[in-house]
Amino acid sequence: MNQAHSGDTVALELDQVFELSKSVLIAAGLSEAQATPVARVITEGQRDECHSHGLFRLPGCVQTINHPRFNRAAAPVVENTTAAVTKVDAGFGFSLPAFEAALPTFVEKAKSIGVAVLAINHCFHFSALWPEIEMLTAQGLVAIAMTPSHSWVAPAGGTKGALGTNPIAFGWPREGQNPYVFDFATSAIARGDISLHKMAGKPLQPGWAIDADGNPTTDAAAALNGAMLTFGGHKGSALSTMIELLAGPLIADMTSLESMDFDDGVKAAPAHGEILMAFDPKILGGTRDNQASSERLFSAISDQGARLPSLRRYEARARSLAHGVRIPRHLYEQIMSLPRAG
């Protein structure tokens, strides 16, 4: 592999990121069919400078594959449940192959009747949700996705983990330009970002976490041994609880508490379910020009200097497509120390 070294970083082309990721995943035991969507989303995270969801995740993926309950031979089983509902059993493999297996049926139902729900069961999940959302907005669909995680997050007023980081993502297609997308954890910060703070020796912001004794902390290591906090106090806590219920008991899958129990101390990626909803604006909007009214709203935001969500990602994407990416040398060396196929 050809790469450029400069000080504490290593430059890679995007195809190198993808091939390196896939090679490590296959060497860890995934089939090419399983490894390809996982490598693709790692590459997309790195491309968009979402560093906590790019190559940084690859060693953790290997750790997850080595979990005694991870199924390296998992083959997603898609169930055509009702006219609006699709279910897919990931078989305790990663969520992404299951999502891609169910995607054609999910999209067809949304475009047929105007709204559709996809439930992914029994999956290990490590990735951001926006890549899935963008696959749906590319089909002209409005989309929502949510998932629990491990019980790393204390509820508002509490001192012990009971909730997950519980991300929620939303996407709105825009004609001729990138979609409006947001994707954020209901915790005050993503778990991976706390790990990055620890690696960099950077303090956390107050209000992000508590230590093992329930005291506020700005120390990343203490936060990882304690509990994270929700954003927005009781509002974030309530939203996080909603995600637990919709992506857990509603689809007969695990909550973040149960995911943590299932992990049994291995510290792999969370195992649980995921729920996605898709809406066809052409059916639900009827004859009204919903693009015109939505663009007026977006202009009212951006014209006063406010930034629309994902704008930073799209700017990073353009840079990476033109110039490739740079990753910390220590991360590159860690990845190169892992077994690789071929």
Side-chain angles (χ1 to χ4, degrees):
M1 175 180 293
N2 296 320
Q3 68 281 320
H5 298 265
S6 177
D8 293 331
T9 63
V10 175
L12 298 170
E13 298 296 328
L14 290 176
D15 60 349
Q16 292 178 311
V17 175
F18 175 77
E19 292 299 335
L20 176 59
S21 300
K22 188 168 76 167
S23 175
V24 168
L25 293 166
I26 289 174
L30 294 190
S31 67
E32 182 158 349
Q34 293 172 311
T36 296
V38 176
R40 184 184 302 124
V41 80
I42 288 174
T43 303
E44 290 171 348
Q46 197 66 51
R47 177 200 65 194
D48 286 10
E49 295 180 6
C50 296
H51 299 295
S52 63
H53 288 81
L55 283 169
F56 170 76
R57 294 280 174 159
L58 190 54
C61 288
V62 174
Q63 184 176 353
T64 296
I65 293 167
N66 289 326
H67 191 295
R69 292 178 173 175
F70 184 91
N71 182 7
R72 300 182 187 192
V77 177
V78 179
E79 177 186 322
N80 190 1
T81 310
T82 71
V85 177
T86 303
K87 299 189 75 173
V88 55
D89 191 330
F92 291 106
F94 283 118
S95 62
L96 296 161
F99 170 75
E100 293 195 6
L103 183 61
T105 302
F106 182 36
V107 169
E108 180 183 1
K109 289 182 178 183
K111 291 188 173 184
S112 174
I113 62 175
V115 59
V117 176
L118 172 61
I120 304 175
N121 289 113
H122 309 136
C123 65
F124 283 82
H125 193 281
F126 73 93
S127 57
L129 294 174
W130 58 259
E132 298 169 20
I133 291 292
E134 286 194 18
M135 292 179 75
L136 294 166
T137 56
Q139 297 289 329
L141 299 173
V142 176
I144 300 172
M146 60 190 80
T147 180
S149 62
H150 282 332
S151 52
W152 290 309
V153 182
T159 59
K160 302 294 181 183
L163 304 168
T165 54
N166 295 6
I168 182 170
F170 170 83
W172 180 276
R174 303 175 70 187
E175 292 180 0
Q177 55 189 310
N178 289 316
Y180 173 91
V181 175
F182 69 72
D183 177 2
F184 56 80
T186 50
S187 53
I189 185 174
R191 182 80 173 180
D193 285 323
I194 290 186
S195 296
L196 287 176
H197 276 70
K198 179 184 176 183
M199 290 171 61
K202 293 171 54 179
L204 306 177
Q205 290 187 21
W208 283 2
I210 54 180
D211 63 20
D213 296 321
N215 299 313
T217 185
T218 59
D219 180 81
L224 292 172
N225 289 323
M228 304 162 68
L229 298 174
T230 60
F231 79 88
H234 67 282
K235 294 181 180 180
S237 187
L239 183 59
S240 183
T241 304
M242 179 197 77
I243 293 167
E244 291 279 352
L245 297 171
L246 290 178
L250 178 67
I251 62 171
D253 218 305
M254 289 186 275
T255 64
S256 296
L257 283 167
E258 292 164 332
S259 176
M260 188 73 90
D261 291 341
F262 182 86
D263 183 69
D264 198 25
V266 175
K267 297 184 178 180
H272 44 63
E274 178 182 353
I275 190 168
L276 301 100
M277 290 157 275
F279 310 88
D280 189 341
K282 292 181 179 179
I283 294 178
L284 291 168
T287 59
R288 183 178 178 185
D289 187 352
N290 45 39
Q291 278 290 319
S293 59
S294 63
E295 288 304 318
R296 182 184 178 190
L297 172 60
F298 297 143
S299 294
I301 296 170
S302 58
D303 288 353
Q304 59 181 293
R307 189 182 73 181
L308 293 175
S310 288
L311 179 60
R312 184 203 62 77
R313 278 201 308 105
Y314 297 142
E315 291 171 346
R317 182 178 302 180
R319 286 193 299 271
S320 298
L321 289 170
H323 306 295
V325 299
R326 303 197 75 89
I327 66 170
R329 181 185 296 275
H330 64 81
L331 175 59
Y332 177 77
E333 291 174 349
Q334 180 186 10
I335 291 171
M336 293 302 289
S337 71
L338 297 171
R340 301 188 304 281

